[in-house]
Structure formats: C-alpha cells, structure tokens
Amino acid sequence: MRKTLVAGNWKMNGRAAASRELVEQVLAGLAEVDRDLVDVLVCPPSVYLAQVCQQVEGQAVANAPLVVGGQNLCEFADGAYTGEVSAEMLVDIGCKAVIIGHSERRALFGDDDARIAAKLKAALQAGLMPLLCVGETLAERDSGAALDVVGHQLRSALAGIEAADMAQVVVAYEPVWAIGTGRTATPEQAQEVHAYLRSVLADMFATVSDQVRIVYGGSVNAANASELFAQADIDGGLVGGASLKANEFLTICQ
C-alpha cells in the first residue's frame, strides 16, 4: 500500500514572521494526523528554507514530523552559478525533498526536458526525494494530446534512472489549466491521467511501478481533496494556495 503524501508548495509567498507562524500552526495540528497514513511536506521559498528546517527540527511533535523541501534546485554542483542553489546545499540545511519541473519553472524560467532530467539526477544523487511534475496546458488537453504530453514529460525525465532509485521518486500530475485558476480536474479526469502515468512507469520500471506515489497538483483544497484522494491511483496532493492557510492544509492532511 502506498502511503499518502500531502505536499505544500508555498511558491513565492510569505515573510519570515508569517512563515514561522504558519509552521507553528501546522506542527500543532499535525498532532491530530495519523502519521502511519500520511507523509506531510512543506516547500517554502529558498530564503526561508533554513529557518523552517531549524524550526521543525527544534520542535518535538508526537508522531507528526514535518518534512521540508525546496521548490527548485540547480542541476550543477557547487561553482560559478550565481543565484542558484545546489542539491548539496538543500541537504546541508536539512531539506529532504525538492520539487522538480513545476509548470511555472517550465513556462517562465526555461526548464526544458533535458534540464529537468539533469535536476532529477542531481536530486537523487544528493539523497533528496524529487517531486517530478508533469502536466498539460488547456490547449493540449482540448486537442486530445494530454496523455501524449505527460507521457513524454515522464519518460524524458526518468530516462537513465535505475529502478532502485524510483522508490525515492514522487510523480506529481499538475494540469497547467488547473493551477491557481480555481478549476480542478474532475476526480475521473485526474484518475485517468494517473492511471496512464502508472502504465508508463510499468513500461519503464515493471518491478516497482506500483510502489511509486503519484500525487495530484491542480488547485487541491479542503473541499475536493477527499474525493480526489479516494481515486485508485491518486496518492495525495501537491497543494498550492491552500497550503498557505494552516486550517485548510491540515484539513487536506486529515
């Protein structure tokens, strides 16, 4: 049985005091969440990662540790890469995970297939859990190309990855047309894509495909999470705006 994962992507939001308060509230509420059933992750902006890692490490919450991850990393190791953050740096401050290939990185910052594959390898080599994002635009969905698009994205990112490493990888399906728009794929639409992604994983990694978690990342909120997570191949969520509200994020976790 795959353990549910709820991951909060704060994107470029928050300030030091607000981040501290949000983490305090989430930590307190996680005491009511069954950790045998769900892993919980938050991904703050990079400038607040060290603060959040220290805050989580410094608070003992019975049976409810909170994992911290980055929103992005550089595919290169340390060196002359001004403005970038390496996988080793994330590990050094206490991060355990990192988001790779989010649609905003693809669309706004030029993260193409080759770069995403390199970032995934860098994350794995450093011991980070990569959340690999794939998803189609509205035009691609309306043209009937959604499955082809996400299948290509998944195959290109995982090319050359060993099956043994796949236990560390999480796939996040995030239909671009449903991110931050208030629109959400229906549970049936999301399940169709998740099942297809699992079939691609089965082609590539037959022995471990059933163990890989595939989470949904298109405007997940407290009202729709239960129905989405009830689908056979939806193993949790990559939560955007709702992760900035402690009560709503905790409701999703519960």
Side-chain angles (χ1 to χ4, degrees):
M1 179 179 177
R2 298 180 297 271
K3 190 175 182 180
T4 299
L5 171 67
V6 177
N9 178 14
W10 295 3
K11 305 192 178 184
M12 196 173 73
N13 291 294
R15 297 294 184 268
S19 297
R20 187 175 296 107
E21 181 180 3
L22 178 57
V23 171
E24 287 176 356
Q25 294 172 348
V26 170
L27 283 169
L30 283 179
E32 305 299 320
V33 174
D34 188 345
R35 288 285 289 116
D36 290 332
L37 299 178
V38 60
D39 290 326
V40 183
L41 167 69
V42 292
C43 298
S46 60
V47 293
Y48 301 124
L49 279 171
Q51 170 189 306
V52 174
C53 285
Q54 291 168 3
Q55 187 177 358
V56 169
E57 184 180 351
Q59 296 197 31
V61 181
N63 200 35
L66 181 63
V67 178
V68 182
Q71 296 178 14
N72 184 38
L73 55 69
C74 181
E75 65 270 36
F76 303 117
D78 298 350
Y81 305 104
T82 301
E84 294 292 333
V85 176
S86 72
E88 290 79 6
M89 289 175 177
L90 293 178
V91 172
D92 187 47
I93 62 169
C95 290
K96 305 295 184 186
V98 64
I99 299 171
I100 304 286
H102 192 279
S103 63
E104 291 155 7
R105 297 296 315 176
R106 294 177 189 261
L108 300 176
F109 302 104
D111 282 15
D112 59 14
D113 289 342
R115 192 172 193 197
I116 289 165
K119 288 185 175 187
L120 182 75
K121 289 183 176 68
L124 289 170
Q125 288 170 0
L128 291 166
M129 177 180 72
L131 279 74
L132 170 64
C133 299
V134 300
E136 81 282 6
T137 64
L138 183 59
E140 289 166 338
R141 170 160 283 274
D142 287 345
S143 71
L147 298 185
D148 289 339
V149 169
V150 298
H152 168 77
Q153 291 172 343
L154 187 63
R155 290 181 185 279
S156 66
L158 297 178
I161 300 298
E162 299 293 331
D165 290 326
M166 287 304 298
Q168 200 172 332
V169 176
V170 175
V171 176
Y173 168 54
E174 41 151 31
V176 180
W177 49 271
I179 299 172
T181 63
R183 294 181 60 180
T184 309
T186 66
E188 293 76 21
Q189 287 175 320
Q191 167 58 24
E192 178 189 19
V193 178
H194 279 237
Y196 176 73
L197 291 170
R198 197 169 303 285
S199 74
V200 174
L201 291 172
D203 286 341
M204 299 181 73
F205 311 102
T207 59
V208 298
S209 59
D210 284 341
Q211 302 168 32
V212 178
R213 293 186 286 191
I214 308 176
V215 301
Y216 175 75
S219 295
V220 178
N221 57 49
N224 61 32
S226 181
E227 192 173 7
L228 285 165
F229 295 176
Q231 302 301 309
D233 289 291
I234 299 181
D235 304 315
L238 178 57
V239 185
S243 68
L244 299 171
K245 305 169 185 176
N247 288 340
E248 185 156 8
F249 186 63
L250 289 164
T251 299
I252 295 169
C253 293
Q254 291 163 352

